[in-house]
């Protein structure tokens, strides 16, 4: 207790290698950008430098737990940010809870991440909401009557989203049999022709295919090759440049929900973020990059508000966050520590992600 | 006299180890403690793999599957009904499991038993195969187990996995488990049954001609190893407090295999040393991915460097010390005295005492 | 002439050969006898480069063989019929023989040699299309000798060619040894059957625990008391006869 | 003691053993000889349960043992050695013999790992017996060595000691003298005779060393191309023209 | 199920099966010579695909030129791999060699992650391979027609090499007994290098065609195909080249047709491959066309 710290440490708990590396990298971009713009924080009346400590969780649960433990224990970080991938976040859950260090997930949408864990927050919406949004879009905007779901059965996110979509699509169409079929595939599969051929014979109006962009892009491409014309709908994970890069022309017209659209800056922070990002990278940011930016800002604001580096205090400050202006919209944490936020629907047009509409919660 | 001395040494070593455990439990920070406890789990896992691969000569790559079964069994038996309800939000859990809630030890035992039973079921057909064929078939079984776990939503919660397992894997659980495993292996390898296993490993036909029921020895050792793997998996689950099917891919088996081979296949000592060294080493190398790359955006290039170094070390060991650290030798006090690390018995000081 | 000087071989800690010297003059038959584990096989294996000696040299007609890869040594006409039946079990008898002639390209010569081998071992001709792995021990030994002949060796080294062979075949093998020697092939022979080996040998060496302890013309060795009692088992045989 | 009835073994089109009918009495030393590839080892394999015969039956001590697994045959009191030595190469000489004792100890995984009292006693006995056997074959001094580090001749003797450790009534030796020089072969003859008396054995052996075969066998069976071409006492066999032509050759 | 639908499924199965077959051939060759499960085979597959990708993307070469260069470079890498990681272990226990193979595989993957980045890359498929052919409601891409042609052509060439040429016989000799092969004046190292080179060449050949069919690259892309094709090789009888082809088609067929007929079981797809494997092994322990080496006692 003798020598007071002169820095505040924020731990970045992200997959930098392994299957989720792309997502991790995008979030880290946002966090780093925010750190460049706002490198310090005022605690009480003292100005502290914010130091980022990165730990690669390798997209692996055992590694993730070690990495998280290391962040809170050895690096003594005050807040943890991450991780892309809900199951990785869940591996960190008990650790941050035990050490009373608040953690903020940026894009982990699985409800279980924050459920029953007072120390885990998230700056994005959750899958039940996302599923409803897409069901709405399918039933109302596309006037679809019948849908087929093709999901990544070994991916918690995909399975969850598929279920939420199915439930609300059935409700919206008032048709118990509105889902013609649920087809599965596995992570890292590359050939989907069998599923798609079956799918084609079901003649759906719309296809819901939540899953990683890697497999999804191939699915859409192979669907086109098989002559499937029904539109593809998906979730936030599609928003990665590789989605278009891999799927090429086939992805034209694919629709998905996500957190943020650069075309519709919501707050002043959005503008700050966009300007800084475009200047630095001369390209358009992904939604999760904006969320990474927001995660950092919320953490910083909470520390400032708590006026202390004590975990429990920062946690309480976070719990009290109301309408915080983030780059990807206003952030208010509900009693489950999930942000109630609007969803953005985008499509691929001319080889670019294009804003379609915003759906309020 | 040498015997008495060696007993003394062993007693001292045990005491020192116990002291280390107490000290660790008291003074290690939770990160070090976690890594330290992970070491113990890897000891159990490495020994279990060494039992089939090293001592019975069965090339088995199915460990992840047995670990998964153990981890799931133990988790489902120990989680509170509330936790289960929270976890199974997509499809409710099967009724007969919903309200089961056992203390840890019986559940751990059950994990081992279920895994062993499965090992028995799988072993009965698979152990008719040999070498690489056995390896690929057991790997196949493990993958099948994983696929089944992924798809049986109302039993395992499928891809969502389980979260909120009670944190039972404390020092005083995992290290005794490791110690028991070591004791079991040492006693086994010194016993007649252990010799029968080694005989089967060296020459099946000759072993049969010695009246050894070769197939039975194989199945028993396979099931015993599955038991240990199941327990190890359960311990791992309760250390992480969350599990899902993706944890238990064949990469996990490979990792354990690497530990075993680095230590020396067929050596208990080797497995123990290597389990600790690899677990600690992997964490110690973390700096390669870490703060080095701060400030500039060299970031994308850096991560992964740790694994590159790890692979290089691994290859180095395999290439330059082909039989691993210990070969198939075991630690003994006389080994240390031969190496000059302990006073030789002949000129021992205990003569003065 | 094959000349071995000061040859030492270690297997890990075992000092299997401790400075061996021997000479095999062109056109002669030389036998190497000695108890099990004396280092006979090791000597031959080092000559063809399958074992790397720790000291010493092997030379063939003045050229140093030590350090050359096995195939180069074999190409120079130094050929070994290894101990144990190292035939290729998955290849047919025919293919095994063809491989013996791997380094040769004279089609006619190869065909003639194959005929000759089948002449020596009609049993092999019967089984020409059978996989060598399913041959009996003795048949495999015949094949191993036949395969070696296919290389057209200048010096043929045989490591216990009679191991596990029926008396009739053993006789035949010794006949063949003589026959090929008469055609000008030098022979270096390892045998347990010391009597037969020394009878046909121009010169013999006795090897014990990695050292040459005795050498001399075959006939002389046969008469040597030490050889008689240690390797020919004559004293013991007498006792045995009485006991029956 | 051992009786086979019309044992026939076919590999694809090849009849390795045909209609073999052995009959061996208690305490006899019987030889099985014949040219290479005659089917001697195959006959051993059939008798000891390595491969079930295509046709025919094997009786041991009056009991039908045809088609039993290897270890079951051994448990009924048959032990063998192999033409190509098959020792447990990573085990010490003593341990090799102890493996042979495992059968007698009859202890399961738990009893032996937990070193239960019953096991301890049996273990002590087994060790004593194993050392006795090693002394018998002259390997007591090498008990701690690795089996592979022994020279060939000693490995053969170790294999015999190991087989004896199963306390067999019938011992089958496949070319025990192979790779031995005449001196050693003669010693082997004594040895075989001695163990027969000492352990109350019946012995069936395959051998090409005629000195050995003629020296110790009371009865001989001669195979050629799987067919029994002669049987009888050594003296008669040595005179049998068919045997001379097929196998012994003329002096 | 309508006929058109069935035919479509069949076409899919053939397309996938022939790709499996192609890769399995290389696997089986390498296994055959060293009795080594070359876990790095899948990684050479990945390297081939990346090399071809960079050839087009960075050096703007025509696809066929980069194709040729990529497979040759990968073949050399395979030869190098054998030299560095396997040759020193020739006399070591099998398990050490296998660990070395796993280590090599880890190393290649991790170096690839550092070099190429962990994020996937999209491949621009050359136009010839990207033509959609359809008739009677069945559509396939031209690449899926090209692959089986290659597969069978390669099969024929290899059968000839292994069965009829001197090199082939030497390959078979080397695969059973190194020392005995040396004694026949066979240059054992050259034969092994040759086999490894050809196997690696086929791996990258397969990898590139794979990336034309599934236009996405990532450093771990070889893991699953590697495993599947090894399974295919085992099913057919490892070491046996026709067996590899048979196994490849069978695996592709089972994987896709079971899904076609039992769509509810799609989640179990990966298990099918293994179930097939295990069933085959239990019935025919050496695979369908493999011959078990009779063990002489
Ligand atoms: N690969 C090896 N590793 C270790 N030791 C070996 C090896 N090969 C041979 N030896 C040892 O080297 C010594 C000489 O063996 P070698 O095979 O040359 O004897 P030999 O005279 O041919 O005997 P035999 O008559 O049994 O064939 C023996 O003590 C043997 O145990
Ligand atoms: N597994 C098998 N498959 C095919 N043929 C076999 C098999 N085992 C043995 N044979 C054949 O059966 C015949 C008898 O072989 P066996 O090994 O019994 O001969 P043997 O009498 O022991 O000869 P040797 O004295 O040379 O050892 C041989 O021709 C051999 O080729
Ligand atoms: C697919 C995932 C890696 C990302 C997703 N949003 C989640 O919460 O898990
Ligand atoms: Mg020898
Ligand atoms: Mg035989």
């Amino acid at each position: 207790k003798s020598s007071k710290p002169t820095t505040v440490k924020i731990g970045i708990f992200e997959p930098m290698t392994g299957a989720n590396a792309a997502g991790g990298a995008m979030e880290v971009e946002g966090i780093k950008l925010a750190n460049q713009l706002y490198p310090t924080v005022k605690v009480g009346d003292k100005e502290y430098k914010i130091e980022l400590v990165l730990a690669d969780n390798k997209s692996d649960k055992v590694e993730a737990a070690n990495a998280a433990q290391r962040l809170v224990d050895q690096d003594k970080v005050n807040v943890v940010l991450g991780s892309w991938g809900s199951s990785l976040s869940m591996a960190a859950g008990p650790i941050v809870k035990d050490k009373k260090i608040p953690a903020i997930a940026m894009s982990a949408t699985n409800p279980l991440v924050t459920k029953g864990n007072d120390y885990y927050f998230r700056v994005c919406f959750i899958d039940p909401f996302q599923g409803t949004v897409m069901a709405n879009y399918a039933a109302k905007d596309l006037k679809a009557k019948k849908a087929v779901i093709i999901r990544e059965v070994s991916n918690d996110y995909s399975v969850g989203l598929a279920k939420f979509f199915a439930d609300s699509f059935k409700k919206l169409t008032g048709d118990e049999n509105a889902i013609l079929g649920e087809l599965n595939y596995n992570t890292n599969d590359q050939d989907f022709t069998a599923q798609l051929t079956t799918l084609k014979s079901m003649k759906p109006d719309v296809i819901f295919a939540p899953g990683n962009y890697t497999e999804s892009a191939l699915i859409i491409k192979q669907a086109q090759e098989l002559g499937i014309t029904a539109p593809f709908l998906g979730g936030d994970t599609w928003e990665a440049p590789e989605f278009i890069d891999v799927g090429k022309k086939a992805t034209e017209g694919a629709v998905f929900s996500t957190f943020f659209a650069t075309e519709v800056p919501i707050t002043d922070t959005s503008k700050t973020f966009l300007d800084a990002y475009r200047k630095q990278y001369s390209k358009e940011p992904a939604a999760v990059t904006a969320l990474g930016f927001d995660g950092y800002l919320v953490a910083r604001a909470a520390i400032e508000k708590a006026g202390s580096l004590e975990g429990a205090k920062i946690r309480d400050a976070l719990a009290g966050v109301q309408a915080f202006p983030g780059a990807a919209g206003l952030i208010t944490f509900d009693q489950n520590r999930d942000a109630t936020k609007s969803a953005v629907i985008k499509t691929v047009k001319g080889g670019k992600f294009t804003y379609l509409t915003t759906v309020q919660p | 006299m040498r015997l008495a001395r060696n007993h003394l040494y062993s007693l001292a070593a045990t005491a020192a180890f116990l002291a280390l455990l107490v000290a660790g439990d008291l003074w290690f920070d939770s990160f070090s403690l976690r890594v330290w406890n992970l070491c113990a789990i890897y000891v159990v896992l490495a020994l279990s793999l060494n039992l089939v691969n090293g001592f019975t000569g069965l090339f088995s790559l199915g460990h992840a599957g047995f670990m998964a079964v153990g981890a799931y069994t133990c988790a489902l038996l120990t989680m509170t009904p509330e936790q289960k309800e929270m976890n199974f939000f997509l499809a409710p859990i099967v009724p007969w499991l919903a309200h089961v809630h056992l203390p840890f030890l019986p559940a751990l035992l059950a994990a081992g038993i279920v895994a062993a039973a499965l090992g028995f079921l799988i072993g009965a057909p698979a152990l008719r195969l040999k070498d690489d064929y056995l390896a690929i078939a057991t790997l196949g079984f493990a993958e099948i187990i994983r696929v089944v776990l992924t798809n049986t939503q109302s039993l395992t919660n499928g891809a969502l996995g389980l979260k909120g397992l009670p944190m039972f894997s404390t020092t005083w659980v995992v290290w005794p488990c490791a110690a028991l495993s070591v004791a079991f292996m040492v006693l086994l390898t010194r016993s007649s049954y252990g010799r029968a296993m080694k005989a089967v490993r060296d020459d099946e036909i000759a072993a049969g001609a010695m009246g050894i029921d070769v197939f039975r020895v194989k199945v028993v050792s396979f099931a015993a190893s599955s038991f240990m793997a199941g327990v190890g998996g359960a311990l791992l689950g309760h250390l992480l407090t969350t599990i899902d099917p993706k944890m238990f891919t064949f990469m996990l088996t490979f990792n354990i295999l690497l530990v075993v081979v680095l230590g020396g296949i067929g050596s208990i000592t080797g497995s123990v040393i290597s389990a600790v060294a690899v677990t600690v080493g992997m964490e110690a190398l973390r700096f390669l991915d870490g703060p080095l790359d701060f400030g500039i955006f060299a970031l994308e290039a850096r991560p992964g460097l740790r694994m590159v170094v790890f692979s290089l070390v691994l290859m180095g060991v395999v290439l330059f010390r082909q039989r691993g650290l210990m070969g198939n030798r075991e630690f003994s006090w006389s080994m240390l005295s031969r190496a000059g690390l302990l006073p030789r018995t002949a000129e021992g000081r205990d003569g003065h005492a | 002439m094959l000349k071995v000087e000061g040859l030492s071989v270690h297997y890990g800690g075992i000092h299997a050969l401790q400075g061996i010297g021997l000479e095999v003059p062109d056109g002669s038959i030389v036998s190497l006898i000695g108890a099990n584990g004396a280092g006979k096989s090791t000597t031959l294996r080092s000559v063809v480069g399958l074992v790397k000696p720790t000291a010493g040299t092997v030379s063939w007609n003045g050229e140093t063989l030590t350090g050359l890869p096995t195939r180069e040594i074999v190409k120079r006409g130094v050929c070994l019929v290894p101990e144990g039946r190292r035939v290729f079990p998955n290849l047919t008898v025919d293919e095994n023989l063809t491989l013996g002639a791997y380094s040769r390209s004279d089609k006619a010569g190869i065909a003639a040699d194959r005929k000759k081998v089948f002449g020596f071992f009609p049993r092999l001709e019967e089984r020409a299309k059978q996989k060598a792995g399913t041959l009996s021990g003795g048949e495999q030994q015949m094949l191993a000798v036949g395969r070696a002949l296919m290389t057209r060796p200048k010096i043929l080294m045989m490591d216990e060619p009679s191991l596990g062979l029926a008396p009739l075949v053993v006789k035949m093998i010794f006949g063949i040894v003589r026959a090929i020697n008469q055609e000008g092939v030098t022979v270096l022979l390892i045998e347990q059957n010391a009597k037969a080996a020394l009878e046909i040998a121009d010169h013999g060496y006795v090897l014990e625990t990695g050292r040459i302890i005795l050498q001399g013309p075959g006939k002389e060795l046969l008469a040597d008391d030490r050889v008689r009692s240690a390797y020919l088992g004559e004293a013991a045989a007498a006792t045995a006869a009485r006991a029956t | 003691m051992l009786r086979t009835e019309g044992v026939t073994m076919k590999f694809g089109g090849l009849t390795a053993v045909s209609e073999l009918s052995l009959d061996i009495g208690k305490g006899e030393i019987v030889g099985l000889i014949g040219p290479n590839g005659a089917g001697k080892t195959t006959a051993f394999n059939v008798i000891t349960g390595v491969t079930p015969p295509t046709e025919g039956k094997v009786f041991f001590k009056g009991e039908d043992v045809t088609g039993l697994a290897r270890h079951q045959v051994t448990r009924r009191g048959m032990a063998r050695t192999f033409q190509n030595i098959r020792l447990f190469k990573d085990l010490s000489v003593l341990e090799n013999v102890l493996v042979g004792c495992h059968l007698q100890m009859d202890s399961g995984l738990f009893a032996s790992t937990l070193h239960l009292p019953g096991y301890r006693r049996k273990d002590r006995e087994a060790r004593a017996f194993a050392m006795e056997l090693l002394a018998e074959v002259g390997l007591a001094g090498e008990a701690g060595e690795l089996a592979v580090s022994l020279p060939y001749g000693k490995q053969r003797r170790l294999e015999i000691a190991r087989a004896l450790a199963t306390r067999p009534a019938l011992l089958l030796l496949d070319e025990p003298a192979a790779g031995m020089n005449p001196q050693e072969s003669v010693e082997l003859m004594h040895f075989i005779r001695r163990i027969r008396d000492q352990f109350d054995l019946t012995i069936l052996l395959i051998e090409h060393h005629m000195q050995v075969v003629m020296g110790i066998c009371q009865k001989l069976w001669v195979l050629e191309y799987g067919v029994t071409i002669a049987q009888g006492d050594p003296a008669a066999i040595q005179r049998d023209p068919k045997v001379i032509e097929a196998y012994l050759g003329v002096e | 199920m309508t006929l058109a639908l069935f035919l479509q499924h069949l076409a899919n199965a053939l397309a996938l099966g022939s790709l499996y077959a192609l890769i399995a051939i290389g696997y089986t060759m390498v296994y055959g010579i060293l009795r080594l499960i070359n876990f790095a085979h899948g990684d050479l597959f990945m390297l081939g695909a990346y090399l071809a990708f960079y050839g087009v993307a960075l050096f703007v070469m025509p696809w066929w030129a980069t194709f040729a260069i990529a497979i040759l470079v990968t073949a050399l890498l395979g030869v190098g791999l054998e030299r560095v990681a396997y040759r020193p272990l020739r006399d070591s226990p099998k398990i050490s060699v296998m660990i070395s193979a796993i280590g090599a595989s880890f190393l290649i993957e991790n170096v690839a992650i550092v070099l190429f980045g962990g994020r996937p890359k999209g491949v621009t498929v050359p136009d010839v391979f990207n033509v959609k052919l359809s008739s009677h409601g069945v559509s396939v891409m031209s690449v899926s027609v090209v692959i089986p042609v290659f597969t069978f052509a390669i099969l024929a060439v290899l059968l000839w090499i292994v069965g009829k040429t001197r090199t082939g016989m030497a390959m078979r000799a080397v695969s059973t007994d190194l020392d005995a092969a040396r004694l026949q004046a066979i240059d054992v190292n050259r034969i092994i290098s040759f086999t490894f080179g050809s196997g690696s060449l086929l791996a990258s050949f397969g990898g590139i065609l794979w990336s034309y069919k599934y236009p996405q690259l990532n450093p771990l892309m070889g893991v699953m195909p590697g495993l599947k094709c090894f399974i295919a090789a085992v099913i057919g009888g490892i070491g046996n080249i026709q067996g590899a082809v048979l196994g490849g088609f069978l695996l592709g067929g089972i994987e896709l047709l079971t899904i076609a007929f039992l769509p509810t079981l799609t989640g179990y797809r990966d298990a099918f491959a293994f179930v097939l494997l295990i069933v085959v092994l239990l019935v025919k322990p050496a695979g369908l066309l493999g011959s078990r080496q009779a063990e002489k006692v």
Side-chain angles (χ1 to χ4, degrees), chain B residues 11-22:
Chain B
L11 218 65
T14 316
F17 179 68
L18 276 176
L20 181 63
L21 285 192
V22 174

PDB file of all heavy atoms in Angstrom, chain B residues 11-22:
ATOM      1  N   LEU B  11      11.128 -39.608   2.897  1.00  0.00           N
ATOM      2  CA  LEU B  11      10.325 -38.951   3.918  1.00  0.00           C
ATOM      3  C   LEU B  11      10.534 -37.445   3.847  1.00  0.00           C
ATOM      4  O   LEU B  11       9.583 -36.656   3.863  1.00  0.00           O
ATOM      5  CB  LEU B  11      10.751 -39.482   5.291  1.00  0.00           C
ATOM      6  CG  LEU B  11       9.616 -39.683   6.278  1.00  0.00           C
ATOM      7  CD1 LEU B  11       8.694 -40.781   5.766  1.00  0.00           C
ATOM      8  CD2 LEU B  11      10.172 -40.042   7.656  1.00  0.00           C
ATOM      9  N   ALA B  12      11.796 -37.073   3.727  1.00  0.00           N
ATOM     10  CA  ALA B  12      12.120 -35.647   3.659  1.00  0.00           C
ATOM     11  C   ALA B  12      11.478 -35.027   2.435  1.00  0.00           C
ATOM     12  O   ALA B  12      10.896 -33.940   2.496  1.00  0.00           O
ATOM     13  CB  ALA B  12      13.633 -35.471   3.617  1.00  0.00           C
ATOM     14  N   ALA B  13      11.540 -35.747   1.320  1.00  0.00           N
ATOM     15  CA  ALA B  13      10.971 -35.199   0.089  1.00  0.00           C
ATOM     16  C   ALA B  13       9.473 -35.028   0.241  1.00  0.00           C
ATOM     17  O   ALA B  13       8.900 -34.013  -0.182  1.00  0.00           O
ATOM     18  CB  ALA B  13      11.282 -36.124  -1.079  1.00  0.00           C
ATOM     19  N   THR B  14       8.808 -36.009   0.840  1.00  0.00           N
ATOM     20  CA  THR B  14       7.369 -35.905   1.032  1.00  0.00           C
ATOM     21  C   THR B  14       7.042 -34.701   1.906  1.00  0.00           C
ATOM     22  O   THR B  14       6.130 -33.925   1.617  1.00  0.00           O
ATOM     23  CB  THR B  14       6.824 -37.187   1.704  1.00  0.00           C
ATOM     24  OG1 THR B  14       7.422 -38.301   1.067  1.00  0.00           O
ATOM     25  CG2 THR B  14       5.338 -37.251   1.611  1.00  0.00           C
ATOM     26  N   ALA B  15       7.801 -34.565   2.967  1.00  0.00           N
ATOM     27  CA  ALA B  15       7.566 -33.430   3.857  1.00  0.00           C
ATOM     28  C   ALA B  15       7.758 -32.123   3.109  1.00  0.00           C
ATOM     29  O   ALA B  15       6.939 -31.194   3.212  1.00  0.00           O
ATOM     30  CB  ALA B  15       8.512 -33.512   5.050  1.00  0.00           C
ATOM     31  N   ALA B  16       8.827 -32.065   2.331  1.00  0.00           N
ATOM     32  CA  ALA B  16       9.106 -30.844   1.580  1.00  0.00           C
ATOM     33  C   ALA B  16       7.966 -30.545   0.625  1.00  0.00           C
ATOM     34  O   ALA B  16       7.521 -29.398   0.478  1.00  0.00           O
ATOM     35  CB  ALA B  16      10.410 -31.000   0.806  1.00  0.00           C
ATOM     36  N   PHE B  17       7.453 -31.597   0.007  1.00  0.00           N
ATOM     37  CA  PHE B  17       6.365 -31.406  -0.952  1.00  0.00           C
ATOM     38  C   PHE B  17       5.114 -30.900  -0.243  1.00  0.00           C
ATOM     39  O   PHE B  17       4.459 -29.964  -0.701  1.00  0.00           O
ATOM     40  CB  PHE B  17       6.086 -32.727  -1.658  1.00  0.00           C
ATOM     41  CG  PHE B  17       4.976 -32.654  -2.636  1.00  0.00           C
ATOM     42  CD1 PHE B  17       5.112 -31.913  -3.795  1.00  0.00           C
ATOM     43  CD2 PHE B  17       3.773 -33.290  -2.398  1.00  0.00           C
ATOM     44  CE1 PHE B  17       4.078 -31.821  -4.702  1.00  0.00           C
ATOM     45  CE2 PHE B  17       2.730 -33.204  -3.286  1.00  0.00           C
ATOM     46  CZ  PHE B  17       2.880 -32.468  -4.439  1.00  0.00           C
ATOM     47  N   LEU B  18       4.809 -31.502   0.906  1.00  0.00           N
ATOM     48  CA  LEU B  18       3.642 -31.050   1.662  1.00  0.00           C
ATOM     49  C   LEU B  18       3.799 -29.588   2.057  1.00  0.00           C
ATOM     50  O   LEU B  18       2.864 -28.785   1.950  1.00  0.00           O
ATOM     51  CB  LEU B  18       3.474 -31.911   2.916  1.00  0.00           C
ATOM     52  CG  LEU B  18       2.712 -33.218   2.681  1.00  0.00           C
ATOM     53  CD1 LEU B  18       2.687 -34.047   3.940  1.00  0.00           C
ATOM     54  CD2 LEU B  18       1.296 -32.895   2.216  1.00  0.00           C
ATOM     55  N   ALA B  19       5.010 -29.265   2.488  1.00  0.00           N
ATOM     56  CA  ALA B  19       5.271 -27.880   2.873  1.00  0.00           C
ATOM     57  C   ALA B  19       5.046 -26.951   1.695  1.00  0.00           C
ATOM     58  O   ALA B  19       4.456 -25.871   1.827  1.00  0.00           O
ATOM     59  CB  ALA B  19       6.711 -27.752   3.386  1.00  0.00           C
ATOM     60  N   LEU B  20       5.501 -27.411   0.525  1.00  0.00           N
ATOM     61  CA  LEU B  20       5.326 -26.602  -0.679  1.00  0.00           C
ATOM     62  C   LEU B  20       3.840 -26.384  -0.955  1.00  0.00           C
ATOM     63  O   LEU B  20       3.411 -25.281  -1.285  1.00  0.00           O
ATOM     64  CB  LEU B  20       5.988 -27.317  -1.857  1.00  0.00           C
ATOM     65  CG  LEU B  20       5.917 -26.595  -3.195  1.00  0.00           C
ATOM     66  CD1 LEU B  20       6.666 -25.275  -3.104  1.00  0.00           C
ATOM     67  CD2 LEU B  20       6.503 -27.453  -4.299  1.00  0.00           C
ATOM     68  N   LEU B  21       3.056 -27.452  -0.783  1.00  0.00           N
ATOM     69  CA  LEU B  21       1.619 -27.320  -1.014  1.00  0.00           C
ATOM     70  C   LEU B  21       1.017 -26.295  -0.060  1.00  0.00           C
ATOM     71  O   LEU B  21       0.262 -25.409  -0.467  1.00  0.00           O
ATOM     72  CB  LEU B  21       0.922 -28.670  -0.819  1.00  0.00           C
ATOM     73  CG  LEU B  21       1.101 -29.706  -1.915  1.00  0.00           C
ATOM     74  CD1 LEU B  21       0.131 -30.854  -1.705  1.00  0.00           C
ATOM     75  CD2 LEU B  21       0.887 -29.085  -3.282  1.00  0.00           C
ATOM     76  N   VAL B  22       1.365 -26.420   1.222  1.00  0.00           N
ATOM     77  CA  VAL B  22       0.831 -25.485   2.216  1.00  0.00           C
ATOM     78  C   VAL B  22       1.255 -24.064   1.866  1.00  0.00           C
ATOM     79  O   VAL B  22       0.439 -23.141   1.782  1.00  0.00           O
ATOM     80  CB  VAL B  22       1.334 -25.858   3.624  1.00  0.00           C
ATOM     81  CG1 VAL B  22       0.901 -24.798   4.623  1.00  0.00           C
ATOM     82  CG2 VAL B  22       0.813 -27.221   4.015  1.00  0.00           C
TER      83      VAL B  22
END
